[in-house]
Amino acid sequence: MSLPNVSAKTFSLSAIIVGYLLIDDLTASEQNALGNWLMLTAQVLCTNAFYKQVEKERSEKVSATISNEEGIVMLQKMVDALTQEIEQLKAKH
């Protein structure tokens, strides 16, 4: 399912219009039941979207950690090579 490609104001306005159209055809109890159902649906969507953001952030942290570890390994190799070069220079003198 895909959301319509409209502005945020138009998208919000459509919800207002649908809400007002439903008011006349429903009793107060039906409006309450439908409103609660819609709020529950919205909470499920919000919870799912939030958790997807958490998963993405965790994945990005793991990638950053891997990159940092690779960088540390590379720097350690450079330090080792420089140390070896220094030792060779000292041995010549």
Side-chain angles (χ1 to χ4, degrees):
M1 185 170 130
S2 176
L3 293 176
N5 189 16
V6 297
S7 72
K9 287 182 179 182
T10 302
F11 191 65
S12 298
L13 182 61
S14 68
I16 293 168
I17 292 170
V18 169
Y20 273 103
L21 290 173
L22 290 174
I23 288 174
D24 290 335
D25 294 336
L26 301 174
T27 66
S29 294
E30 291 171 332
Q31 290 174 28
N32 191 18
L34 180 59
N36 283 317
W37 184 85
L38 290 170
M39 286 191 291
L40 177 59
T41 302
Q43 284 296 312
V44 169
L45 292 171
C46 289
T47 301
N48 187 65
F50 176 76
Y51 199 77
K52 284 185 178 185
Q53 288 175 331
V54 168
E55 289 175 330
K56 182 181 176 187
E57 288 175 9
R58 287 178 180 168
S59 173
E60 289 170 354
K61 281 184 180 180
V62 168
S63 296
T65 301
I66 291 169
S67 296
N68 288 340
E69 289 173 2
E70 290 171 351
I72 291 169
V73 169
M74 184 175 65
L75 288 172
Q76 185 62 53
K77 287 180 181 179
M78 294 169 93
V79 168
D80 292 344
L82 287 171
T83 302
Q84 185 179 9
E85 188 71 26
I86 291 170
E87 294 300 321
Q88 289 174 357
L89 289 171
K90 285 182 181 177
K92 289 182 181 178
H93 293 285

